[in-house]
Amino acid sequence: MFNKTFKIIHSKYSNLFKFVFFLRYLLGIFFISILLLLFIPKFFDYSKKNQEIENFLLKNYNLQLIGYERIDYKALPKPHLQIKNARLVSSDDINLSVQLLNITPKLKNIYNFENYQANKIIAKKGVINFELDGYINLYNYFKKLKKNFSLEDLRINFKQDKSSLFSVN
């Protein structure tokens, strides 16, 4: 039985089977190389690249990164940098404190931080503190923002004379 199957494979359809078996290896190599491309940056030290990230935020979003706990790279579900416990300050007197700041870079910028570009920034579990008469600054900031910036689970604290008046979730 095995000899008959072996003869059929190697006589009639040998070119087709050789091609299919070759594609199997080619697809395996392609799949492994894509996995390596996405998961190797996990081992980089992004605390050394914080200056480039700060310059990117300042240039594109007018936000200055004052402090953070650490910067991690997450490959799944989409490759992104995750900055934990970040504090961002704008020149428009906007103070934003977030637990997670996700920066989704373009695929070409996973390894190259010169001329860094990102597709989207998501700020999760954030708090914005500002004076009551400064709500116009917040509105104007988001109105003139042309890049993709999302806020999730945001709490806005309105203050007057350093005392909290009310907050909006």
Side-chain angles (χ1 to χ4, degrees):
M1 180 77 177
F2 178 72
N3 288 339
K4 287 183 182 179
T5 307
F6 187 74
K7 286 181 184 178
I8 290 173
I9 289 175
H10 286 290
S11 62
K12 287 185 181 177
Y13 308 105
S14 65
N15 288 337
L16 178 65
F17 283 117
K18 284 181 186 177
F19 179 71
V20 169
F21 290 140
F22 175 73
L23 280 180
R24 176 181 61 177
Y25 294 118
L26 192 62
L27 289 175
I29 291 171
F30 181 71
F31 183 70
I32 290 172
S33 63
I34 291 214
L35 285 177
L36 286 175
L37 175 76
L38 292 177
F39 284 100
I40 284 179
K42 180 86 172 152
F43 303 108
F44 293 165
D45 185 18
Y46 286 100
S47 62
K48 294 178 183 176
K49 302 288 186 187
N50 65 352
Q51 189 62 39
E52 286 85 2
I53 295 170
E54 287 176 8
N55 289 339
F56 164 74
L57 288 172
L58 190 61
K59 179 181 168 186
N60 293 312
Y61 294 95
N62 195 19
L63 292 172
Q64 185 177 7
L65 184 64
I66 299 296
Y68 61 92
E69 189 175 312
R70 72 171 188 247
I71 302 174
D72 291 329
Y73 173 82
K74 305 287 184 185
L76 296 175
K78 209 183 234 188
H80 62 276
L81 293 176
Q82 188 176 62
I83 303 173
K84 293 190 177 183
N85 295 331
R87 187 165 168 257
L88 302 165
V89 176
S90 172
S91 62
D92 298 330
D93 295 330
I94 298 171
N95 294 327
L96 175 64
S97 299
V98 294
Q99 286 183 358
L100 294 174
L101 182 69
N102 292 338
I103 301 174
T104 307
K106 293 187 176 182
L107 195 56
K108 67 179 182 177
N109 290 112
I110 290 176
Y111 291 98
N112 185 11
F113 276 87
E114 294 176 15
N115 196 14
Y116 189 76
Q117 297 175 352
N119 291 331
K120 182 190 285 189
I121 291 184
I122 300 173
K124 294 182 179 179
K125 299 178 184 172
V127 177
I128 294 179
N129 296 318
F130 62 92
E131 293 292 324
L132 184 61
D133 54 351
Y135 71 93
I136 300 289
N137 292 340
L138 183 67
Y139 174 74
N140 288 334
Y141 174 76
F142 284 114
K143 184 178 175 184
K144 68 182 176 182
L145 194 64
K146 297 192 186 328
K147 301 283 184 175
N148 227 349
F149 187 78
S150 299
L151 297 168
E152 295 179 4
D153 196 16
L154 178 71
R155 189 176 74 219
I156 302 174
N157 291 331
F158 293 95
K159 295 182 178 184
Q160 188 167 16
D161 298 329
K162 297 186 180 182
S163 62
S164 180
L165 292 176
F166 62 94
S167 69
V168 177
N169 288 333

